[in-house]
Amino acid sequence: MSYNGPEQADRELIGGRYRLGERLGQGGMGVVRRATDELLGRPVAVKTLALESGADPESALREARVVAQVRHPHVIVVHDVVEHEGRPALVMELVDGGSLADRLAAGEVLSPCETARLGLDLLDALSAAHARDVLHRDVKPANVLLEKGTGRAVLTDFGIASLPGASTLSRTGVFIGTPEYTAPERMQGGDAGPASDLWSLGALLCAAATGTSPFRRDSIGAVLHAIVYEEIRPSERMGPLVPVVQGLLERDPALRLGAAEARRLLAACAAGEEPAPPVPAPTLREAAAPATATVVRDRPTAPDPAVPAAVPDAATGGRGSGSRRPKALPFVAAAVAVCAAAATVAVLVAMKDEPPAGAAGRPSGTASAPAATTPPPTTSASAPPSASAQPAGTVPDSETDRYPSEEVTDERGFTLAVPYGAIRSTDGERVFYTSPDGAVRVGVRIRPIPPGGAIGVMRASDENGPATNPGYRDSLVQETTHKGLPAARWEFTWNGFTGAEGPRHTIDVCWEKDGTLYDVWVSAPVGRSEEDRIRFDKALESFRATGG
């Protein structure tokens, strides 16, 4: 609830013992006032329903019942329910200090360590609620109170929470919740679980450390488009928090960072340590992969110690926490259509170095890549599989020991060589294969030849480079041929997804054949330039169209 400053206390006595004082805040359905419990002589807060809100009086009782199920130091305490103006009013503990939203509105932000400690408090509160099968469904700065002196964070306003056995609060024609902190699966009207609250926590941590939600836009349609489709790239100001935020903002709830792993990462950040990257169980990763996707087998490999492991970015498919692109939301179709129409030209020249934007990168639109990008731990220094032991479709690799690869046949009608154990993701138009350590991304796009042909597409992409790739530099666009066909080549360097990962280099070739434009690119950290070029040459040379 937003703080509106003190107002003249009306000193009304309700419930025979609670003397109302000044207003502390007001939300969509209720007003919170400071009050005094005259029977016990203690300060309390009283939440009354706003008459103009149209809220069902039963909602206050619902909230009281929900909170009564969850007893935790970081969850607001409801002391009593009394009648006020014919409606129930909640008597709660008074957390003196204002909300996180108040602090952000005043221009203050939290340091990464402070944000991590806040995250731990809220994660514990949510875990306590989830253990009781209670989903908060409205985790946002206005619903987090920060106690003066102690710094204790308290999660409040369970007014739209879901409780087992209770009906779900809803109002016809009204979106219940706060869009810019709402998980994409809830936007789609799908089943929401504890992972939905964790998405909201990830967005809240971004706001706490930077001052605003990563999905803040000028209109509701733009907000929904950002959550469902756009790249999610946490600010470098978040420092060591970037991996945990990327993991929480994974668009696919099956791949989203869980509470236990999030707690480990946050605890390390709160202690001022650099957290080890999250390591998902390979079996879980394979189980979460889309049934229609070609999942490439994991092969234990030792990560390159010279290259920091990166967590895929949520909206870019390979660069972050991407997940499978959600279907269009029925109730926002018109708004999204407007956004999509405006972005048609931009999509034509969209950056190559990103996985699918809706497939969570984690941007949470990323492809179906898991929240973590480090490979599973190596159990033994085993030699690469022999040709006879390799699964069908694998290409024997003379560089096996250094850059093992295998050939995959994709459902989109092509085959090519990708890093061994790569993870497939898609944003609907593009397909990405990301190496197990998350560092190397192979992308493919097949479409009708647009106006200007291959060279026109590359020149337009180059012009748009500074807008799509921060730190865009050292670009080169050349008209060329590929296997005797008209083609264009584009190379560039940019700042990369995170400061920890460092700059990245992308090599891209597209060519024309029989009315179709084929596009293959590979991106890798600048420190792995040799691997970047070798993998690109393998991908380009091995590419074959197999379907119409």
Side-chain angles (χ1 to χ4, degrees):
M1 296 184 179
S2 58
Y3 177 66
N4 293 296
E7 61 178 19
Q8 182 64 39
D10 56 26
R11 311 308 300 167
E12 178 182 0
L13 187 71
I14 66 173
R17 59 186 282 190
Y18 304 108
R19 184 73 64 181
L20 297 179
E22 72 271 18
R23 185 176 61 181
L24 297 176
Q26 180 170 344
M29 292 185 285
V31 176
V32 176
R33 290 184 173 84
R34 184 186 297 271
T36 301
D37 181 348
E38 296 194 338
L39 179 63
L40 300 180
R42 65 177 176 183
V44 295
V46 174
K47 179 179 180 180
T48 58
L49 293 179
L51 295 176
E52 66 276 11
S53 69
D56 184 348
E58 281 297 311
S59 64
L61 293 175
R62 234 183 123 271
E63 181 175 1
R65 293 188 188 106
V66 169
V67 177
Q69 299 294 315
V70 186
R71 299 187 56 140
H72 192 274
H74 298 296
V75 173
I76 196 72
V77 175
V78 174
H79 297 308
D80 198 359
V81 180
V82 298
E83 185 176 296
H84 175 59
E85 297 180 344
R87 294 171 166 235
L90 304 187
V91 181
M92 306 176 292
E93 68 170 311
L94 178 66
V95 180
D96 203 358
S99 70
L100 174 61
D102 298 335
R103 186 164 174 174
L104 298 179
E108 300 179 45
V109 295
L110 306 186
S111 70
C113 284
E114 290 174 319
T115 302
R117 287 193 287 270
L118 171 68
L120 285 171
D121 288 351
L122 297 180
L123 188 59
D124 287 346
L126 290 173
S127 295
H130 296 162
R132 295 282 185 175
D133 291 330
V134 171
L135 305 179
H136 189 279
R137 303 201 304 167
D138 200 18
V139 178
K140 61 182 180 181
N143 288 339
V144 175
L145 304 179
L146 302 176
E147 191 170 53
K148 245 187 246 180
T150 68
R152 178 175 69 113
V154 178
L155 184 61
T156 186
D157 201 343
F158 283 72
I160 66 170
S162 65
L163 180 67
S167 60
T168 300
L169 178 65
S170 63
R171 287 181 285 167
T172 303
V174 177
F175 177 83
I176 300 299
T178 306
E180 65 187 271
Y181 293 95
T182 300
E185 61 269 21
R186 281 197 60 215
M187 291 292 193
Q188 290 179 276
D191 292 336
S196 299
D197 280 346
L198 295 183
W199 165 284
S200 302
L201 176 61
L204 180 144
L205 294 178
C206 287
T210 66
T212 185
S213 157
F215 308 108
R216 177 72 54 84
R217 299 293 188 274
D218 293 334
S219 68
I220 181 66
V223 169
L224 299 177
H225 187 271
I227 289 174
V228 175
Y229 296 113
E230 292 180 13
E231 173 193 359
I232 301 170
R233 184 184 296 168
S235 169
E236 290 188 7
R237 290 164 53 189
M238 302 193 71
L241 287 170
V242 168
V244 67
V245 167
Q246 288 182 319
L248 293 172
L249 294 181
E250 163 62 54
R251 285 199 169 98
D252 186 340
L255 301 178
R256 197 167 297 155
L257 200 63
E261 186 68 356
R263 182 175 289 104
R264 180 184 71 80
L265 296 175
L266 288 171
C269 293
E273 304 169 358
E274 188 75 22
V279 181
T283 53
L284 293 180
R285 176 170 62 193
E286 293 180 9
T292 58
T294 301
V295 179
V296 184
R297 295 150 296 287
D298 287 326
R299 172 186 182 230
T301 56
D304 184 347
V307 181
V311 178
D313 188 271
T316 63
R319 54 168 86 182
S321 118
S323 41
R324 293 178 298 281
R325 185 172 186 168
K327 296 178 181 178
L329 314 185
F331 67 92
V332 299
V336 173
V338 173
C339 297
T344 299
V345 177
V347 169
L348 181 65
V349 295
M351 56 194 297
K352 304 294 181 182
D353 190 22
E354 63 173 342
R362 199 174 341 93
S364 270
T366 53
S368 57
T373 58
T374 55
T378 303
T379 55
S380 64
S382 58
S386 64
S388 60
Q390 289 175 328
T394 307
V395 174
D397 189 354
S398 60
E399 297 284 346
T400 296
D401 290 334
R402 294 164 59 199
Y403 310 123
S405 65
E406 63 180 318
E407 188 171 280
V408 297
T409 298
D410 195 273
E411 63 186 42
R412 294 295 179 84
F414 64 84
T415 64
L416 84 165
V418 301
Y420 200 104
I423 303 154
R424 181 190 189 273
S425 58
T426 177
D427 64 359
E429 294 181 343
R430 297 168 294 175
V431 175
F432 298 84
Y433 283 90
T434 304
S435 62
D437 65 356
V440 180
R441 290 128 193 169
V442 179
V444 174
R445 185 178 185 185
I446 303 173
R447 54 176 163 157
I449 299 176
I455 188 63
V457 166
M458 291 306 199
R459 286 172 178 164
S461 297
D462 179 49
E463 290 178 7
N464 202 41
T468 56
N469 297 78
Y472 182 80
R473 58 191 180 274
D474 301 331
S475 65
L476 176 65
V477 174
Q478 296 176 309
E479 193 164 8
T480 183
T481 61
H482 174 62
K483 297 182 179 179
L485 299 168
R489 182 183 179 96
W490 176 35
E491 290 192 47
F492 64 92
T493 301
W494 65 293
N495 287 349
F497 304 122
T498 68
E501 182 190 48
R504 297 182 66 83
H505 186 75
T506 298
I507 310 172
D508 184 354
V509 166
C510 64
W511 66 96
E512 306 169 18
K513 182 179 180 181
D514 300 331
T516 299
L517 187 71
Y518 296 92
D519 197 346
V520 173
W521 65 95
V522 174
S523 166
V526 168
R528 294 166 69 166
S529 58
E530 178 188 51
E531 180 180 2
D532 186 19
R533 294 186 182 279
I534 289 176
R535 290 204 181 280
F536 176 76
D537 290 343
K538 290 180 181 178
L540 188 62
E541 186 61 30
S542 64
F543 183 92
R544 297 188 304 278
T546 60

